[in-house]
Amino acid sequence: GQQLNQSPQSMFIQEGEDVSMNCTSSSIFNTWLWYKQDPGEGPVLLIALYKAGELTSNGRLTAQFGTTRKDSFLNISASIPSDVGIYFCAGQPISGGSNYKLTFGKGTLLTVNP
Amino acid sequence: EAGVAQSPRYKIIEKRQSVAFWCNPISGHATLYWYQQILGQGPKLLIQFQNNGVVDDSQLPKDRFSAERLKGVDSTLKIQPAKLEDSAVYLCASSYVRLGTYNEQFFGPGTRLTVL
């Protein structure tokens, strides 16, 4: 099956620092998504990317869809304490049809020290 | 707009017992998903419904897991009998259906299952 390698597994940073995390796949994806999960909650979509090379921002978050369609990165600028959580990348394969099956990475645990 | 509702939030059972989880998707969402999230992992799709039909259940352990969505709205996921390795958070998600584009999946808070 498809594998997503997400790195780093965890990060411990100071408030105000910038953060970067990435995801690579063994196969091509049609769509890349970045989610955040807070403790005791389900994942919440942060950014969706639909085209190779696409760069999309959502406030302090920026994500890019790699040109090979096999990778994506997420940057968070000027981190704040509420950025704490687990960040997941997820991809939808090239031939999704009506079956929008997502494959998730293992997540990056972000801790922000005030 | 109300989000995806799940119950119970927590469940503790002994191995070989049965358990059921309930999900009420966002009103109007035709597609419903059940995911299993083991500690330290990302969610893994177990089953996907569109209305009351199964679209994908390739990763559902059918010898012990079953799911239904009889009226195309609420859904129930059952485990019978449970094993220790079934300890996980079970997430339900729902989405609209618009062909040709990604349809955002909205997740519920999950049910945390502990099998002793």
Side-chain angles (χ1 to χ4, degrees), chain A residues 35 37 40 42 88 99-100 105, chain B residues 9 37 48 56 101-103:
Chain A
Y35 284 85
Q37 187 172 28
F88 290 99
N99 177 7
Y100 298 101
Chain B
R9 291 296 308 272
Q37 186 176 20
Q48 176 186 342
D56 187 339
T101 186
Y102 173 70
N103 299 297

Side-chain angles (χ1 to χ4, degrees), chain A residues 35 43 45 100 102, chain B residues 1-6 23-35 45 47-51 69 72-75 91-98 102-109:
Chain A
Y35 284 85
L45 183 65
Y100 298 101
L102 296 181
Chain B
E1 178 182 86
V4 176
Q6 290 189 247
C23 173
N24 185 25
I26 292 173
S27 177
H29 281 191
T31 308
L32 185 147
Y33 312 79
W34 283 102
Y35 288 86
L45 180 69
I47 188 166
Q48 176 186 342
F49 293 94
Q50 187 160 318
N51 296 309
R69 194 185 184 198
V73 180
D74 294 6
S75 177
L91 294 163
C92 179
S94 68
S95 69
Y96 286 112
V97 177
R98 287 186 294 266
Y102 173 70
N103 299 297
E104 181 179 350
Q105 296 182 24
F106 294 85
F107 285 82

